[in-house]
Amino acid sequence: MTVIDRNAAPSAAAGPSRPAAARLLAMVAGWDWLAKAWWTCLSVALFAGIWELCWALGWADPQLLPPPHIFLSNFGEQGKFFNTATRWQVGNSMGEGPSAFESVMITVAATTMRVFVGLVIACVLAIGVGVAVRYWHVFDKLVLPTVTLLSPVSPIAWLPVAIFLFGIGNAPAIFMVVVALFFHMVLATIAQIDGVSPNLINVARTMGASKRQIYGRVIVPAILPGMLQVLRMNLFGAWMVVLVAESTGVGYGMGQVIMLARNTFNPSLVFFTIAVVGVLGFGFDWLLRLAQRRILYWLPDTQEKLRGL
Amino acid sequence: MAFDPAPHFSSRDAVVCRGVGKTWAAGTKRAHEALRDVDLDIAPGEFVVFLGPSGCGKSTLLYLIAGLEEATEGLTWSFGDVVETPSPERSLIFQETSLFPWLTVWQNVSFGLAIRGASQQQRRAVAAEALQRVGLKAAMDKRPDELSGGMRQRVAVARALAMRPKVLLMDEPFAALDVQTRARMQDFLLDVWRDSGASVLFVTHHIDEAVALADRVVVFTSRPGRIKTIVPIDLPRPRNLFSREVEALRIQLTDLLRDEVDRAFAEQEALSATA
Ligand SMILES: Nc1ncnc2c1ncn2[C@@H]1O[C@H](COP(=O)(O)OP(=O)(O)OP(=O)(O)O)[C@@H](O)[C@H]1O
Ligand SMILES: [Mg+2]
């Protein structure tokens, strides 16, 4: 098992075969990526296929549950509805303003921006507060009860508060995302800190690290993997809540489109928007996973092991 | 507790314990006495092995000497100063691996220097030297998860050495290794010990390991751990583990330990019966 020869350099032993092995690895990784994309497509196709089948057999009423080929086909027409940004302005009719594609892009960008900004703010605040709770005892006593008290409150309950405080625009939507994630993320941060191996902290202590150094150099890097996981979990929560927020106070955004679809009884538009949200959420998650692998290079690949069982 | 106000020891002693006791969760219902009345003197450069049944408080005593935990009774001195907080002079190598998984091997080894704000160049140089001594210089830029268990423990040893400690506290560092690897690690540790001139306090429950390494073997009773006997070993190293003297020592230590292990088992069974 172990190479114990004190003179044999472990990397030197693996040296000569490295390039070939690396090339092989890159190839396999490339295939892996392709395989993943393939399975994703297959998964979606399967779901869409069942739906289409139901439609073909007449089980799904196209007026209520239009299958993908219907709600995706008239992109130009559906896209126009995304033009809520200018449509609310007096004097603009449906025919004017940006093209369908531009409308979709503007709306998508607005909603994505709110999710992103909300996530970043919630993350920074939650990690800051979580670390502070463990760092200062008084802060713990003062803050933690309130955080725990507020964390079961549904984001819906914050909606009026968001409107009272911020009126309409980006702010209430971002506020909703932050408030929906913040409390859970504080609790998650604290749980992560409490899970740090006391041995690692003791090592730092024996080397003369101050409290600040222990937090900065041991605790924060040690909780990073867990925090990225928490972030990924909360990413979907952010996408959920942003639609709720946008469906009320905000001038434009995907939530507005859903509301419009509801009010005008347009199931095609609902499903179209759902598809867009799904693709966006998937993309975000993919980016985060990529970042996770980059930043957390030291984590063991348990997934791989589980697959081998 | 009766405590001699004028302890008889020299300030040159590496570690001195007087009446040291530790009760975990003292004052609560879950109070649990781990150590009682430990008196111990360890000279500079001495290699002392702690031998005792599982759960008798060997790790606890190392933690107290390291300054990571506070004793509930008695006092500990190191080179004349009362031990109150951890100090880089007393490095502890833990029972389980305790390398920082997000740092490379050399960054792990020079962690203590980074804390003091040493430059990257200086840190790399010190790490290279320490890793050279444990024979892992070539693995400098690897990450801990790329190393085998034995290599990781050697890196932990290098990390402790990089602090130039006067006392090296080792808590069953080789417990997880196979017999051959363990033997190699013991040889290597003896080399390092001779080079560094530090005192080593080494916990094990392997009698052979104690016999191979120690100047003195401190045998503990079962919990609460007290010092049962101290067995000096006056044999030159490297020791032939099949010689007659070593055989005699092995028998002596086995006898000493057997009673305590039996008692520890009886107690643990009684505890689980009442629970
Ligand atoms: N942090 C702790 N809190 C409460 N009790 C503890 C703690 N650490 C150890 N103990 C208890 O103190 C006693 C001594 O533990 P210790 O770890 O020192 O034993 P040990 O001699 O090192 O055993 P082993 O050889 O199995 O490592 C045990 O009964 C254990 O349950
Ligand atoms: Mg122990």
Side-chain angles (χ1 to χ4, degrees), chain B residues 22-25 30-35 52-63 69 95-96 171-172 203-205 220-221 223-225 267-268 271:
Chain B
K22 172 76 183 177
T23 304
W24 291 103
R30 297 179 53 242
H32 188 80
E33 191 179 13
L35 271 182
S54 178
C56 75
K58 305 179 297 290
S59 299
T60 304
L61 183 55
L62 282 198
Y63 277 50
E69 295 285 346
Q95 203 162 347
E96 308 91 34
D171 193 357
E172 302 187 38
V203 170
T204 183
H205 37 226
F220 284 83
T221 67
R223 200 185 64 82
E267 189 203 353
Q268 276 159 18
L271 267 179

Side-chain angles (χ1 to χ4, degrees), chain B residues 187-207:
Chain B
D187 292 345
F188 140 78
L189 177 62
L190 287 173
D191 289 344
V192 166
W193 166 63
R194 240 169 276 147
D195 290 350
S196 69
S199 308
V200 176
L201 275 67
F202 188 101
V203 170
T204 183
H205 37 226
H206 277 253
I207 290 173

Side-chain angles (χ1 to χ4, degrees), chain A:
Chain A
M1 138 239 158
T2 319
V3 183
I4 282 307
D5 194 335
R6 221 174 295 167
N7 306 314
S11 64
S17 59
R18 245 285 161 70
R23 244 179 303 144
L24 195 75
L25 206 79
M27 214 171 81
V28 171
W31 281 110
D32 196 42
W33 181 85
L34 213 75
K36 244 181 221 162
W38 158 246
W39 280 109
T40 305
C41 290
L42 198 68
S43 165
V44 174
L46 185 70
F47 179 68
I50 292 173
W51 195 346
E52 295 284 358
L53 192 71
C54 289
W55 165 79
L57 292 174
W59 294 347
D61 182 352
Q63 293 301 315
L64 300 174
L65 290 172
H69 85 267
I70 293 182
F71 71 73
L72 291 178
S73 61
N74 48 353
F75 177 83
E77 203 178 304
Q78 303 290 2
K80 283 282 178 207
F81 290 113
F82 278 68
N83 191 10
T84 47
T86 47
R87 211 168 50 75
W88 294 130
Q89 287 164 20
V90 185
N92 270 348
S93 75
M94 291 284 287
E96 299 172 31
S99 72
F101 182 72
E102 279 167 1
S103 309
V104 173
M105 279 302 141
I106 290 171
T107 310
V108 162
T111 302
T112 307
M113 183 273 286
R114 288 167 195 147
V115 168
F116 184 75
V117 172
L119 261 180
V120 169
I121 294 177
C123 243
V124 170
L125 278 182
I127 293 181
V129 170
V131 170
V133 160
R134 277 293 171 263
Y135 197 95
W136 292 290
H137 199 58
V138 188
F139 198 77
D140 180 349
K141 295 273 177 241
L142 281 178
V143 171
L144 196 55
T146 310
V147 167
T148 315
L149 222 81
L150 289 178
S151 54
V153 176
S154 161
I156 300 287
W158 290 103
L159 193 57
V161 182
I163 297 167
F164 300 156
L165 285 180
F166 297 104
I168 60 164
N170 285 325
I174 292 171
F175 172 82
M176 284 290 287
V177 173
V178 171
V179 95
L181 304 188
F182 172 75
F183 300 104
H184 301 274
M185 288 184 83
V186 170
L187 295 183
T189 307
I190 293 170
Q192 294 288 337
I193 294 177
D194 293 347
V196 175
S197 153
N199 272 352
L200 296 185
I201 295 166
N202 277 336
V203 167
R205 284 177 66 204
T206 55
M207 299 203 171
S210 65
K211 186 172 174 181
R212 244 188 69 199
Q213 286 171 321
I214 289 175
Y215 272 81
R217 287 173 183 270
V218 180
I219 289 177
V220 169
I223 66 170
L224 215 67
M227 285 320 294
L228 263 176
Q229 205 60 40
V230 169
L231 183 65
R232 252 185 85 196
M233 300 285 172
N234 280 298
L235 170 70
F236 297 128
W239 274 104
M240 288 180 202
V241 80
V242 83
L243 290 197
V244 175
E246 285 177 345
S247 64
T248 55
V250 191
Y252 59 103
M254 315 258 269
Q256 276 296 317
V257 177
I258 298 255
M259 277 317 273
L260 179 74
R262 189 189 112 157
N263 294 338
T264 57
F265 197 76
N266 186 347
S268 263
L269 187 53
V270 173
F271 289 119
F272 182 75
T273 316
I274 288 177
V276 172
V277 172
V279 168
L280 285 174
F282 188 88
F284 254 59
D285 185 56
W286 180 75
L287 281 177
L288 259 182
R289 274 202 317 253
L290 212 70
Q292 202 172 6
R293 229 169 312 151
R294 269 291 160 86
I295 304 173
L296 307 175
Y297 47 78
W298 70 83
L299 287 191
D301 196 350
T302 310
Q303 200 191 345
E304 203 55 48
K305 286 199 193 83
L306 290 176
R307 203 174 297 146
L309 293 181

